[in-house]
């Protein structure tokens, strides 16, 4: 596997958020890479949600998809997504929600289609 450093914005587009942090990556069974992170106007702001994008395989041009918001469960800031593959090909997403660290709550979502859609 060859590692590179690049921005996750297709064609150099400006993302729909001003700040992002805490990326997590998984490789799909088809060789694509799925990234997730939290993003919004600023870390800790109420508009911060969890976003993701796929890096397409070489046969599909090897480009990143447009970032999509995949989780926003309240008006509070969202934090620290973690992606991982579970048994049976289920993709899991864990993340935190809350304005102050002692009050953060953990949320869990899963995907049966490699991250195209997520449970609520």
């Amino acid at each position: 596997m060859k590692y590179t450093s690049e921005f996750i914005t297709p064609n150099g587009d400006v993302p729909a958020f001003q700040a992002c942090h805490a990326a997590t990556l998984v490789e799909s069974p088809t060789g694509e890479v799925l990234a997730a992170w939290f993003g919004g106007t600023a870390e800790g702001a109420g508009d911060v949600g969890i976003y993701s994008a796929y890096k397409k395989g070489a046969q599909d041009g090897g480009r990143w998809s447009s970032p999509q918001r995949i989780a926003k469960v309240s008006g509070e800031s969202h934090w620290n997504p973690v992606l991982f593959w579970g048994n049976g090909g289920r993709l899991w997403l864990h993340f935190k929600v809350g304005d102050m660290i002692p009050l953060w709550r953990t949320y869990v979502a899963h995907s049966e289609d490699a991250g195209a859609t997520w449970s609520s």
Side-chain angles (χ1 to χ4, degrees):
M1 176 177 275
K2 180 181 176 186
Y3 296 96
T4 62
S5 174
E6 58 191 83
F7 290 105
I8 302 177
T9 53
N11 305 316
D13 295 342
V14 176
F17 40 84
Q18 296 171 331
C20 62
H21 186 58
T24 178
L25 303 168
V26 293
E27 185 176 0
S28 77
T30 59
E32 297 175 327
V33 176
L34 177 65
W37 62 92
F38 66 81
T41 55
E43 187 172 336
D47 68 342
V48 172
I50 307 297
Y51 290 81
S52 73
Y54 266 106
K55 181 169 178 123
K56 305 294 184 183
Q59 70 278 9
D60 295 320
R63 295 197 172 115
W64 285 99
S65 66
S66 294
Q68 301 294 317
R69 190 170 71 186
I70 60 172
K72 184 66 176 159
V73 298
S74 75
E76 300 166 289
S77 189
H78 289 43
W79 306 87
N80 302 341
V82 176
L83 292 169
F84 66 95
W85 290 102
N87 293 334
R90 181 177 276 185
L91 181 60
W92 291 93
L93 169 66
H94 288 213
F95 58 97
K96 302 287 188 174
V97 176
D99 292 327
M100 295 174 31
I101 293 173
L103 302 177
W104 282 4
R105 299 168 315 281
T106 300
Y107 282 80
V108 178
H110 66 272
S111 175
E112 302 292 343
D113 54 12
T117 60
W118 292 93
S119 64
S120 48

